[in-house]
Amino acid sequence: GALGVCGGGGGGGAGAAAVVAAGFGVATPPAGLAVFTGGGGGGGGSVASRPRKVKHLQCPICLKSFSNQWGVTRHMRRHDKSKMTHSCPVCKKKFYERYEVKKHMRKHHPNAV
């Protein structure tokens, strides 16, 4: 997403609190970290429309947006090849998450184990 203030339903700004919630432990963003401040007001749309999650945090490397600290933490592993700790028992391809191995197995090795 683009940098700036996210519109959307309700909620106050997150600002520096979003950075602290992201596990950086500081009240100001580290160099290169873009932080969304959330947005108030907005509304509009029909009653049946689904509310959007406000994405307050961004990856400092690729700028992908996240709505919570766990999303950022899990995503940051993807920028560190040493975190590829799960591997396929058949072809030895490495993955970041165990579910990725399971998905790979179903697609590429359906008759194995």
Side-chain angles (χ1 to χ4, degrees), residues 47-91:
V47 175
S49 67
R50 188 175 189 183
R52 293 183 185 171
K53 283 189 176 182
V54 178
K55 296 185 175 182
H56 297 284
L57 304 169
Q58 278 191 316
C59 170
I61 298 170
C62 69
L63 303 181
K64 181 175 173 130
S65 298
F66 298 91
S67 59
N68 58 51
Q69 177 257 329
W70 171 241
V72 176
T73 302
R74 186 175 63 188
H75 168 78
M76 289 303 291
R77 295 181 197 154
R78 301 216 175 259
H79 295 295
D80 183 357
K81 297 290 184 197
S82 70
K83 300 291 184 191
M84 294 179 88
T85 57
H86 304 280
S87 60
C88 171
V90 177
C91 68

Coordinates of all heavy atoms in Angstrom, one line a residue, residues 47-91:
V47 N -24.5 -0.9 4.7 CA -24.5 -1.6 6.0 C -23.9 -3.0 5.8 O -23.2 -3.5 6.6 CB -25.9 -1.7 6.6 CG1 -25.9 -2.5 7.9 CG2 -26.4 -0.3 6.9
A48 N -24.2 -3.6 4.6 CA -23.7 -5.0 4.4 C -22.3 -5.0 4.0 O -21.7 -6.1 3.9 CB -24.6 -5.5 3.2
S49 N -21.6 -3.9 3.8 CA -20.2 -4.0 3.4 C -19.3 -4.5 4.5 O -19.6 -4.2 5.7 CB -19.7 -2.6 2.9 OG -19.7 -1.7 3.9
R50 N -18.3 -5.2 4.2 CA -17.4 -5.8 5.2 C -16.4 -4.7 5.7 O -15.7 -4.1 4.8 CB -16.7 -7.0 4.6 CG -15.9 -7.8 5.5 CD -15.4 -9.0 4.7 NE -14.8 -9.9 5.6 CZ -14.2 -11.0 5.2 NH1 -14.1 -11.3 3.9 NH2 -13.6 -11.8 6.1
P51 N -16.2 -4.6 7.0 CA -15.2 -3.6 7.4 C -13.8 -4.1 7.1 O -13.5 -5.3 7.1 CB -15.4 -3.5 8.9 CG -16.2 -4.7 9.3 CD -16.9 -5.2 8.1
R52 N -13.0 -3.1 6.7 CA -11.6 -3.5 6.3 C -10.7 -3.4 7.6 O -10.9 -2.5 8.4 CB -11.0 -2.5 5.3 CG -11.7 -2.6 4.0 CD -11.0 -1.7 3.0 NE -11.7 -1.7 1.7 CZ -11.5 -0.9 0.8 NH1 -10.6 0.1 0.9 NH2 -12.2 -0.9 -0.4
K53 N -9.7 -4.2 7.6 CA -8.7 -4.1 8.7 C -7.8 -3.0 8.4 O -7.3 -2.9 7.3 CB -7.9 -5.4 8.9 CG -8.6 -6.5 9.5 CD -7.6 -7.6 9.8 CE -8.3 -8.7 10.6 NZ -7.4 -9.8 10.9
V54 N -7.5 -2.1 9.3 CA -6.6 -1.0 9.1 C -5.2 -1.6 9.3 O -4.9 -2.2 10.3 CB -6.9 0.1 10.1 CG1 -5.8 1.2 9.9 CG2 -8.3 0.7 9.9
K55 N -4.3 -1.4 8.4 CA -3.0 -1.9 8.4 C -2.0 -0.8 8.9 O -1.7 0.1 8.2 CB -2.5 -2.4 7.1 CG -3.4 -3.6 6.7 CD -2.9 -4.2 5.4 CE -3.8 -5.5 5.1 NZ -3.3 -6.2 3.9
H56 N -1.7 -0.9 10.2 CA -0.9 0.1 10.9 C 0.6 0.0 10.6 O 1.4 1.0 10.8 CB -1.1 0.1 12.4 CG -2.5 0.4 12.7 ND1 -3.1 1.6 12.7 CD2 -3.5 -0.4 13.1 CE1 -4.3 1.6 13.1 NE2 -4.6 0.3 13.4
L57 N 1.1 -1.2 10.3 CA 2.5 -1.4 10.3 C 3.0 -1.9 8.9 O 2.3 -2.4 8.2 CB 2.9 -2.5 11.3 CG 2.4 -2.3 12.7 CD1 2.5 -3.5 13.6 CD2 3.2 -1.1 13.3
Q58 N 4.3 -1.6 8.6 CA 4.9 -2.0 7.4 C 6.2 -2.6 7.6 O 6.9 -2.3 8.5 CB 5.1 -0.8 6.4 CG 3.9 -0.4 5.7 CD 4.2 0.6 4.6 OE1 5.0 1.5 4.8 NE2 3.6 0.4 3.4
C59 N 6.6 -3.6 6.7 CA 7.9 -4.1 6.7 C 8.9 -3.1 6.3 O 8.7 -2.4 5.3 CB 7.9 -5.3 5.8 SG 9.6 -5.9 5.4
P60 N 10.0 -2.9 7.0 CA 10.9 -1.8 6.6 C 11.7 -2.2 5.4 O 12.4 -1.3 4.8 CB 11.8 -1.7 7.9 CG 11.7 -3.0 8.5 CD 10.3 -3.5 8.3
I61 N 11.7 -3.4 5.0 CA 12.5 -3.9 3.8 C 11.7 -3.8 2.5 O 12.1 -3.2 1.6 CB 13.0 -5.3 4.1 CG1 14.0 -5.3 5.3 CG2 13.8 -5.8 2.8 CD1 14.4 -6.6 5.8
C62 N 10.5 -4.4 2.5 CA 9.7 -4.5 1.3 C 8.4 -3.7 1.3 O 7.7 -3.6 0.3 CB 9.4 -5.9 0.9 SG 8.2 -6.7 2.1
L63 N 8.1 -3.0 2.4 CA 7.0 -2.1 2.6 C 5.6 -2.8 2.6 O 4.6 -2.2 2.4 CB 7.0 -1.0 1.6 CG 8.3 -0.1 1.6 CD1 8.2 1.0 0.6 CD2 8.5 0.4 3.0
K64 N 5.6 -4.2 2.8 CA 4.3 -4.9 2.9 C 3.6 -4.4 4.1 O 4.3 -4.2 5.2 CB 4.5 -6.4 2.9 CG 3.2 -7.2 2.9 CD 3.5 -8.7 2.8 CE 2.2 -9.4 3.1 NZ 1.9 -10.3 2.1
S65 N 2.3 -4.2 4.1 CA 1.5 -3.7 5.2 C 0.9 -4.8 6.1 O 0.5 -5.8 5.5 CB 0.4 -2.8 4.7 OG 0.9 -1.7 4.1
F66 N 0.8 -4.6 7.4 CA 0.3 -5.5 8.3 C -0.6 -4.8 9.3 O -0.4 -3.7 9.7 CB 1.4 -6.3 9.1 CG 2.3 -7.1 8.1 CD1 3.4 -6.5 7.6 CD2 2.0 -8.4 7.8 CE1 4.2 -7.2 6.7 CE2 2.8 -9.1 6.9 CZ 3.9 -8.5 6.4
S67 N -1.6 -5.6 9.8 CA -2.5 -5.0 10.8 C -2.1 -5.3 12.2 O -2.7 -4.8 13.2 CB -3.9 -5.5 10.5 OG -4.0 -6.9 10.6
N68 N -1.1 -6.2 12.4 CA -0.7 -6.6 13.8 C 0.7 -7.0 13.9 O 1.4 -7.2 12.9 CB -1.6 -7.7 14.4 CG -1.6 -8.9 13.5 OD1 -0.5 -9.4 13.2 ND2 -2.7 -9.5 13.1
Q69 N 1.2 -7.0 15.1 CA 2.6 -7.3 15.4 C 3.0 -8.7 14.9 O 4.1 -8.9 14.3 CB 2.9 -7.1 16.8 CG 4.3 -7.5 17.3 CD 4.4 -8.8 18.0 OE1 3.4 -9.2 18.6 NE2 5.5 -9.5 17.8
W70 N 2.2 -9.7 15.1 CA 2.5 -11.1 14.7 C 2.8 -11.2 13.2 O 3.7 -11.9 12.8 CB 1.5 -12.1 15.2 CG 1.7 -13.4 14.6 CD1 0.9 -14.1 13.8 CD2 2.8 -14.3 14.8 NE1 1.4 -15.4 13.5 CE2 2.6 -15.5 14.1 CE3 4.0 -14.1 15.5 CZ2 3.5 -16.5 14.0 CZ3 4.9 -15.2 15.5 CH2 4.7 -16.3 14.8
G71 N 1.9 -10.5 12.4 CA 2.1 -10.5 11.0 C 3.5 -10.0 10.6 O 4.1 -10.5 9.7
V72 N 3.9 -8.9 11.2 CA 5.2 -8.3 10.9 C 6.3 -9.3 11.3 O 7.3 -9.6 10.5 CB 5.4 -6.9 11.6 CG1 6.8 -6.4 11.3 CG2 4.4 -5.9 11.1
T73 N 6.2 -9.8 12.5 CA 7.2 -10.7 13.0 C 7.4 -11.9 12.2 O 8.5 -12.3 11.8 CB 6.9 -11.2 14.5 OG1 6.7 -10.0 15.3 CG2 7.9 -12.1 15.1
R74 N 6.3 -12.6 11.8 CA 6.3 -13.8 10.9 C 6.9 -13.4 9.6 O 7.7 -14.1 9.0 CB 4.9 -14.4 10.8 CG 4.9 -15.7 10.1 CD 3.5 -16.3 10.1 NE 2.6 -15.4 9.4 CZ 1.3 -15.6 9.3 NH1 0.8 -16.6 9.9 NH2 0.6 -14.8 8.6
H75 N 6.5 -12.3 9.0 CA 6.9 -11.9 7.7 C 8.4 -11.6 7.7 O 9.1 -11.9 6.7 CB 6.1 -10.6 7.3 CG 6.7 -10.0 6.1 ND1 6.5 -10.4 4.8 CD2 7.5 -8.9 6.0 CE1 7.2 -9.6 3.9 NE2 7.8 -8.7 4.6
M76 N 9.0 -11.0 8.7 CA 10.4 -10.6 8.7 C 11.3 -11.9 8.6 O 12.4 -11.7 8.1 CB 10.7 -9.9 10.0 CG 10.1 -8.5 10.1 SD 10.6 -7.4 8.7 CE 12.4 -7.2 9.1
R77 N 10.8 -13.0 8.9 CA 11.6 -14.3 8.7 C 11.9 -14.5 7.2 O 12.9 -15.1 6.9 CB 10.8 -15.5 9.2 CG 10.6 -15.5 10.7 CD 9.9 -16.7 11.1 NE 9.3 -16.6 12.4 CZ 8.2 -17.2 12.8 NH1 7.6 -18.1 12.1 NH2 7.8 -17.0 14.1
R78 N 11.0 -14.0 6.4 CA 11.1 -14.2 4.9 C 12.3 -13.4 4.3 O 12.7 -13.7 3.2 CB 9.9 -13.8 4.2 CG 8.7 -14.6 4.7 CD 7.7 -15.0 3.6 NE 6.7 -15.8 4.1 CZ 6.7 -17.1 3.8 NH1 7.6 -17.7 3.1 NH2 5.7 -17.9 4.3
H79 N 12.8 -12.5 5.1 CA 14.0 -11.7 4.6 C 15.3 -12.3 5.2 O 16.3 -11.7 5.0 CB 13.8 -10.3 5.0 CG 12.7 -9.6 4.4 ND1 12.6 -9.4 3.0 CD2 11.5 -9.1 4.9 CE1 11.5 -8.8 2.7 NE2 10.8 -8.6 3.8
D80 N 15.2 -13.4 5.9 CA 16.4 -14.1 6.5 C 16.4 -15.5 6.1 O 15.7 -16.4 6.6 CB 16.3 -13.9 8.0 CG 17.5 -14.5 8.7 OD1 18.4 -15.0 8.0 OD2 17.6 -14.4 9.9
K81 N 17.3 -15.9 5.1 CA 17.3 -17.3 4.6 C 17.7 -18.3 5.7 O 17.3 -19.4 5.6 CB 18.4 -17.4 3.5 CG 18.0 -16.5 2.3 CD 16.9 -17.1 1.5 CE 16.6 -16.3 0.3 NZ 15.3 -16.5 -0.3
S82 N 18.4 -17.8 6.8 CA 18.7 -18.8 7.8 C 17.5 -19.3 8.6 O 17.5 -20.2 9.3 CB 19.7 -18.2 8.8 OG 19.1 -17.1 9.5
K83 N 16.3 -18.6 8.4 CA 15.1 -19.0 9.1 C 14.3 -20.0 8.3 O 13.3 -20.4 8.7 CB 14.2 -17.7 9.3 CG 14.8 -16.6 10.1 CD 14.9 -17.0 11.5 CE 15.5 -15.8 12.3 NZ 15.9 -16.1 13.6
M84 N 14.9 -20.5 7.2 CA 14.2 -21.6 6.4 C 14.6 -22.9 7.1 O 15.5 -23.6 6.7 CB 14.7 -21.5 5.0 CG 14.3 -20.3 4.2 SD 14.9 -20.3 2.5 CE 13.5 -21.2 1.7
T85 N 13.9 -23.2 8.2 CA 14.2 -24.4 9.0 C 13.4 -25.6 8.7 O 13.6 -26.7 9.3 CB 14.1 -24.0 10.5 OG1 12.7 -23.6 10.7 CG2 15.0 -22.9 10.9
H86 N 12.4 -25.5 7.9 CA 11.5 -26.7 7.6 C 11.9 -27.2 6.2 O 12.0 -26.4 5.3 CB 10.0 -26.3 7.7 CG 9.7 -25.7 9.0 ND1 9.4 -26.4 10.1 CD2 9.6 -24.4 9.4 CE1 9.1 -25.6 11.1 NE2 9.2 -24.4 10.7
S87 N 12.0 -28.5 6.0 CA 12.3 -29.0 4.7 C 11.5 -30.2 4.3 O 11.0 -30.9 5.1 CB 13.8 -29.4 4.6 OG 14.1 -30.4 5.6
C88 N 11.3 -30.3 3.0 CA 10.6 -31.5 2.4 C 11.3 -32.7 2.7 O 12.5 -32.8 2.3 CB 10.3 -31.2 0.9 SG 9.6 -32.6 0.1
P89 N 10.7 -33.8 3.2 CA 11.4 -35.0 3.4 C 11.8 -35.8 2.1 O 12.6 -36.7 2.1 CB 10.5 -35.9 4.3 CG 9.1 -35.3 4.0 CD 9.4 -33.8 3.7
V90 N 11.1 -35.4 1.0 CA 11.4 -36.1 -0.2 C 12.5 -35.4 -1.0 O 13.4 -36.0 -1.4 CB 10.1 -36.2 -1.1 CG1 10.3 -36.8 -2.4 CG2 9.0 -36.9 -0.3
C91 N 12.3 -34.1 -1.3 CA 13.2 -33.4 -2.2 C 14.2 -32.5 -1.5 O 15.0 -31.9 -2.1 CB 12.5 -32.7 -3.3 SG 11.5 -31.3 -2.7

